[in-house]
Amino acid sequence: MKEELYEKLTSYIIENQEKFYRLAFSYVKNQEDALDAVQNAVCKALAHYPELKNEEAYKTWMYQIVINESLTLLRARKRFVLADEDGLWEIPYEEKQYELHDDLYDQIGRMETDTQSIIKLRYFEELELREIAQVLKMNLNTVKTKLYRGLRILKVAMEKEEGA
């Protein structure tokens, strides 16, 4: 039974590796950190898959691990400031293919972490609301409330941007 779950999980990871990378990149905004987050998430998932209580929830479980690893890298990055021997700041490389610098994406980045996650999972990863609730370990009604509140905030912010 666990071998079957392992096979499902590994094939799911292989099929969706670009989605996981894109999700991680949307948080960390750096190629190396996104790759690290996905690699760490895959390692954790493969190491801890026997602990998965609901074997049908491996998809949402994997998204949850990717988000958690991305947030962990962000917290770690805040603690360290990168500079070389001369004290010059290191400029991170950003992969142009995944660069998402438009007004809408910037506005999403300014929202609280839960709302950001909900909007990204709903509209960028196309997860259903109940799957998002499982990934973020929230009540379905809380997910709905935060989503619709976030969308209202986005609408107002984008109208201000267009009017400015």
Side-chain angles (χ1 to χ4, degrees):
M1 189 64 124
K2 291 295 180 183
E3 289 176 18
E4 185 179 314
L5 175 61
Y6 184 82
E7 293 300 320
K8 280 185 190 177
L9 183 61
T10 54
S11 64
Y12 180 72
I13 289 169
I14 291 168
E15 291 171 10
N16 294 285
Q17 60 188 339
E18 287 185 24
K19 284 184 175 184
F20 299 141
Y21 173 79
R22 187 177 58 236
L23 180 62
F25 189 88
S26 75
Y27 282 93
V28 298
K29 296 175 181 50
N30 177 292
Q31 179 187 21
E32 289 82 19
D33 287 346
L35 290 170
D36 285 346
V38 172
Q39 180 179 4
N40 292 345
V42 168
C43 289
K44 282 189 178 181
L46 294 177
H48 297 284
Y49 81 93
E51 299 167 17
L52 189 59
K53 291 176 180 76
N54 180 359
E55 292 185 4
E56 296 303 313
Y58 66 92
K59 294 176 182 179
T60 56
W61 182 65
M62 190 63 203
Y63 274 108
Q64 180 181 4
I65 296 171
V66 171
I67 290 171
N68 288 341
E69 285 301 312
S70 300
L71 294 174
T72 299
L73 281 173
L74 280 177
R75 284 190 293 274
R77 188 190 308 156
K78 285 181 182 178
R79 284 186 242 143
F80 297 103
V81 177
L82 301 177
D84 62 13
E85 295 172 356
D86 301 326
L88 299 174
W89 297 103
E90 189 175 302
I91 300 171
Y93 166 80
E94 290 193 15
E95 190 167 329
K96 302 297 180 209
Q97 178 182 355
Y98 291 99
E99 195 169 320
L100 298 168
H101 289 289
D102 62 359
D103 294 336
L104 177 63
Y105 201 78
D106 290 341
Q107 290 296 331
I108 293 171
R110 293 183 188 126
M111 298 179 143
E112 66 180 52
T113 306
D114 286 346
T115 306
Q116 268 187 58
S117 297
I118 292 168
I119 290 173
K120 288 175 183 178
L121 289 171
R122 179 69 182 118
Y123 294 104
F124 299 152
E125 301 304 322
E126 299 176 355
L127 293 183
E128 295 178 15
L129 292 176
R130 65 175 175 71
E131 292 175 319
I132 295 169
Q134 288 175 338
V135 168
L136 299 177
K137 295 182 180 176
M138 289 182 177
N139 181 297
L140 178 60
N141 289 330
T142 303
V143 170
K144 289 178 184 178
T145 301
K146 288 182 179 254
L147 174 64
Y148 298 127
R149 184 180 306 138
L151 292 175
R152 278 195 306 274
I153 292 169
L154 275 178
K155 181 180 177 187
V156 169
M158 295 308 292
E159 287 172 351
K160 283 183 185 177
E161 290 274 331
E162 288 176 10

